[in-house]
Amino acid sequence: MPSTKAPEDAYTAEPFVPQGAGLDELRRAAAGCRGCPLHRDATRTVFGAGDEHARVMFVGEQPGDQEDRQGRPFVGPAGKLLDRALAEAGIDPGEAYVTNAVKHFKFTRAGPGERRVHKSPTRRETTACGPWLAAELALVRPELVVVLGATAGKALLGPSFRVTQVRGTVLEEEIHGRPERLVPTVHPSSVLRADDREAAYRGLVSDLEVAARALG
Ligand code: URA
Ligand code: SF4
């Protein structure tokens, strides 16, 4: 019997992304994406949110437990920390568009209560989800992209991206055929996990200050 399972390298959101669509239409289409297996266990697609004309776009990894429940990016603990850091760096969250490299929550169940524990997406999954991020970039056309952590960095800049090497600097790269300015920093979740949280938080704020200055 022929296998009905698509080969893994066929994972892609591409056929689900409507051409020439606005942000609302994209968001509606993304709700039905089956471009990779992550839609099966997650509750819903968590598409980007914020001002369509935002000057700055933040790209995280993937929605977490709270984002999966609420359907909006960065509303859980990492998002709260990011909001605080943005305020300190002088970036108005109201002027930002916030999204993720991967639009479905990937998790395993662990511990007493079978809590849903974040699991990192594979390169295949971030690549599959890339057409959504490309469409968001093409529509919002931000002046600056803030790259939050390694997964977002690799999704946008390729597998050789190392956050420790480029954090807090302004990069100029062509991404999906458009010249972009980017400031990479650590993922806010890594601050929550750090042994020295205060030092990690100060590092995040200082990178975001670079982004604020680049925005002028
Ligand atoms: N972490 C992310 O990368 N994105 C979210 O939306 C929430 C937590
Ligand atoms: Fe589609 Fe991305 Fe969800 Fe995979 S993670 S199903 S590519 S929206």
Side-chain angles (χ1 to χ4, degrees), residues 11-13 16 30 33-40 45 101-105 125 128-130 132:
Y11 292 173
T12 177
F16 298 91
C33 184
R34 284 162 167 49
C36 84
L38 294 187
H39 69 88
R40 291 192 204 133
T45 305
V102 169
K103 268 59 172 176
H104 274 104
F105 178 35
E125 289 153 354
C129 215
W132 293 119

Short mmCIF file of all heavy atoms in Angstrom, two decimals, residues 11-13 16 30 33-40 45 101-105 125 128-130 132, ligand 2:
data_model
loop_
_atom_site.label_atom_id
_atom_site.label_comp_id
_atom_site.label_asym_id
_atom_site.label_seq_id
_atom_site.Cartn_x
_atom_site.Cartn_y
_atom_site.Cartn_z
N TYR A 11 7.49 19.21 4.42
CA TYR A 11 6.85 20.13 5.36
C TYR A 11 6.98 21.56 4.87
O TYR A 11 8.09 22.08 4.74
CB TYR A 11 7.52 20.06 6.74
CG TYR A 11 7.34 18.78 7.50
CD1 TYR A 11 8.05 18.59 8.69
CD2 TYR A 11 6.46 17.79 7.09
CE1 TYR A 11 7.89 17.44 9.43
CE2 TYR A 11 6.30 16.64 7.83
CZ TYR A 11 7.02 16.46 9.00
OH TYR A 11 6.87 15.33 9.74
N THR A 12 5.90 22.21 4.60
CA THR A 12 5.97 23.64 4.26
C THR A 12 4.59 24.29 4.36
O THR A 12 3.57 23.69 4.01
CB THR A 12 6.54 23.90 2.86
OG1 THR A 12 6.49 25.33 2.60
CG2 THR A 12 5.76 23.19 1.76
N ALA A 13 4.60 25.52 4.83
CA ALA A 13 3.37 26.31 4.93
C ALA A 13 2.99 26.92 3.58
O ALA A 13 1.88 27.43 3.42
CB ALA A 13 3.55 27.43 5.96
N PHE A 16 -0.45 27.15 1.96
CA PHE A 16 -1.50 27.74 2.80
C PHE A 16 -1.45 29.27 2.81
O PHE A 16 -2.36 29.93 3.31
CB PHE A 16 -1.38 27.22 4.25
CG PHE A 16 -1.57 25.74 4.34
CD1 PHE A 16 -0.48 24.87 4.27
CD2 PHE A 16 -2.83 25.20 4.49
CE1 PHE A 16 -0.67 23.50 4.33
CE2 PHE A 16 -3.03 23.83 4.56
CZ PHE A 16 -1.93 22.98 4.47
N ALA A 30 -3.60 31.40 8.25
CA ALA A 30 -2.65 30.69 9.12
C ALA A 30 -3.37 29.82 10.14
O ALA A 30 -2.85 28.79 10.59
CB ALA A 30 -1.73 31.69 9.82
N CYS A 33 -3.44 26.37 8.88
CA CYS A 33 -2.21 25.81 8.31
C CYS A 33 -1.97 24.39 8.81
O CYS A 33 -2.10 24.10 10.00
CB CYS A 33 -1.01 26.69 8.66
SG CYS A 33 0.54 26.10 7.90
N ARG A 34 -1.60 23.53 7.87
CA ARG A 34 -1.20 22.16 8.18
C ARG A 34 0.13 21.86 7.51
O ARG A 34 0.36 20.74 7.04
CB ARG A 34 -2.27 21.19 7.70
CG ARG A 34 -3.49 21.16 8.60
CD ARG A 34 -4.72 20.58 7.97
NE ARG A 34 -5.75 20.30 8.95
CZ ARG A 34 -6.22 21.10 9.88
NH1 ARG A 34 -5.69 22.30 10.02
NH2 ARG A 34 -7.16 20.73 10.70
N GLY A 35 0.95 22.88 7.46
CA GLY A 35 2.21 22.75 6.73
C GLY A 35 3.24 21.85 7.38
O GLY A 35 4.20 21.44 6.74
N CYS A 36 3.07 21.56 8.65
CA CYS A 36 3.95 20.61 9.35
C CYS A 36 3.14 19.98 10.47
O CYS A 36 2.02 20.41 10.76
CB CYS A 36 5.20 21.34 9.87
SG CYS A 36 4.98 22.16 11.46
N PRO A 37 3.67 18.95 11.13
CA PRO A 37 2.85 18.22 12.11
C PRO A 37 2.53 18.99 13.40
O PRO A 37 1.71 18.53 14.19
CB PRO A 37 3.71 16.99 12.46
CG PRO A 37 4.74 16.91 11.40
CD PRO A 37 4.97 18.30 10.90
N LEU A 38 3.13 20.16 13.61
CA LEU A 38 2.93 20.84 14.90
C LEU A 38 1.49 21.29 15.13
O LEU A 38 1.08 21.49 16.28
CB LEU A 38 3.88 22.03 15.04
CG LEU A 38 5.37 21.66 15.12
CD1 LEU A 38 6.20 22.89 15.43
CD2 LEU A 38 5.64 20.58 16.15
N HIS A 39 0.72 21.42 14.08
CA HIS A 39 -0.68 21.87 14.27
C HIS A 39 -1.51 20.80 14.98
O HIS A 39 -2.54 21.10 15.57
CB HIS A 39 -1.32 22.20 12.92
CG HIS A 39 -1.55 21.00 12.07
ND1 HIS A 39 -2.70 20.24 12.14
CD2 HIS A 39 -0.75 20.40 11.16
CE1 HIS A 39 -2.59 19.23 11.29
NE2 HIS A 39 -1.42 19.31 10.69
N ARG A 40 -1.03 19.56 14.97
CA ARG A 40 -1.87 18.47 15.48
C ARG A 40 -2.08 18.53 16.99
O ARG A 40 -3.19 18.30 17.47
CB ARG A 40 -1.21 17.11 15.16
CG ARG A 40 -1.25 16.81 13.69
CD ARG A 40 -0.86 15.36 13.46
NE ARG A 40 -0.35 15.18 12.12
CZ ARG A 40 0.75 14.51 11.81
NH1 ARG A 40 1.48 13.93 12.75
NH2 ARG A 40 1.13 14.41 10.55
N THR A 45 -3.20 28.14 16.02
CA THR A 45 -2.10 28.93 15.45
C THR A 45 -1.98 30.22 16.23
O THR A 45 -3.00 30.87 16.52
CB THR A 45 -2.40 29.27 13.97
OG1 THR A 45 -2.65 28.07 13.26
CG2 THR A 45 -1.24 30.01 13.33
N ALA A 101 9.06 32.62 15.00
CA ALA A 101 9.56 31.86 13.84
C ALA A 101 8.61 30.71 13.51
O ALA A 101 8.43 30.36 12.35
CB ALA A 101 10.97 31.34 14.12
N VAL A 102 8.02 30.12 14.54
CA VAL A 102 7.11 28.98 14.40
C VAL A 102 5.78 29.36 15.05
O VAL A 102 5.76 29.92 16.14
CB VAL A 102 7.72 27.73 15.07
CG1 VAL A 102 6.72 26.60 15.18
CG2 VAL A 102 8.95 27.27 14.30
N LYS A 103 4.68 29.06 14.38
CA LYS A 103 3.38 29.57 14.83
C LYS A 103 2.55 28.58 15.66
O LYS A 103 1.43 28.92 16.07
CB LYS A 103 2.56 30.01 13.62
CG LYS A 103 2.69 31.48 13.21
CD LYS A 103 3.99 31.99 12.87
CE LYS A 103 3.96 33.39 12.30
NZ LYS A 103 5.34 33.87 12.05
N HIS A 104 3.05 27.37 15.86
CA HIS A 104 2.33 26.44 16.76
C HIS A 104 3.24 26.04 17.93
O HIS A 104 4.45 25.89 17.77
CB HIS A 104 1.89 25.18 16.01
CG HIS A 104 0.57 25.31 15.31
ND1 HIS A 104 0.48 25.47 13.94
CD2 HIS A 104 -0.70 25.31 15.79
CE1 HIS A 104 -0.81 25.56 13.59
NE2 HIS A 104 -1.55 25.47 14.70
N PHE A 105 2.63 25.83 19.08
CA PHE A 105 3.33 25.44 20.31
C PHE A 105 3.75 23.98 20.21
O PHE A 105 2.91 23.11 19.98
CB PHE A 105 2.35 25.63 21.49
CG PHE A 105 2.86 25.22 22.85
CD1 PHE A 105 4.19 25.40 23.22
CD2 PHE A 105 1.98 24.68 23.78
CE1 PHE A 105 4.63 25.05 24.50
CE2 PHE A 105 2.41 24.32 25.06
CZ PHE A 105 3.73 24.51 25.42
N GLU A 125 10.95 22.24 11.01
CA GLU A 125 9.72 22.94 11.38
C GLU A 125 9.85 24.45 11.20
O GLU A 125 8.91 25.10 10.72
CB GLU A 125 9.34 22.57 12.83
CG GLU A 125 8.85 21.13 12.93
CD GLU A 125 9.07 20.48 14.29
OE1 GLU A 125 9.71 21.09 15.18
OE2 GLU A 125 8.61 19.33 14.46
N ALA A 128 9.64 25.06 7.55
CA ALA A 128 8.26 24.89 7.08
C ALA A 128 7.43 26.13 7.36
O ALA A 128 6.63 26.58 6.53
CB ALA A 128 7.62 23.67 7.76
N CYS A 129 7.64 26.72 8.52
CA CYS A 129 6.84 27.87 8.95
C CYS A 129 7.34 29.18 8.35
O CYS A 129 6.65 30.21 8.43
CB CYS A 129 6.83 27.93 10.48
SG CYS A 129 5.27 28.52 11.14
N GLY A 130 8.53 29.16 7.75
CA GLY A 130 9.16 30.37 7.23
C GLY A 130 8.30 31.22 6.31
O GLY A 130 8.37 32.46 6.37
N TRP A 132 5.26 32.05 6.47
CA TRP A 132 4.42 32.98 7.24
C TRP A 132 5.23 34.19 7.69
O TRP A 132 4.78 35.34 7.59
CB TRP A 132 3.80 32.29 8.47
CG TRP A 132 2.79 31.24 8.12
CD1 TRP A 132 2.85 29.92 8.43
CD2 TRP A 132 1.54 31.43 7.42
NE1 TRP A 132 1.74 29.26 7.95
CE2 TRP A 132 0.93 30.16 7.33
CE3 TRP A 132 0.92 32.53 6.84
CZ2 TRP A 132 -0.30 29.97 6.69
CZ3 TRP A 132 -0.30 32.35 6.20
CH2 TRP A 132 -0.89 31.08 6.13
FE1 SF4 B 2 1.89 25.64 9.72
FE2 SF4 B 2 3.86 26.75 11.07
FE3 SF4 B 2 1.90 25.55 12.36
FE4 SF4 B 2 3.67 24.09 11.05
S1 SF4 B 2 4.06 25.40 12.84
S2 SF4 B 2 1.44 23.85 10.98
S3 SF4 B 2 4.07 25.42 9.26
S4 SF4 B 2 1.70 27.40 11.11
#
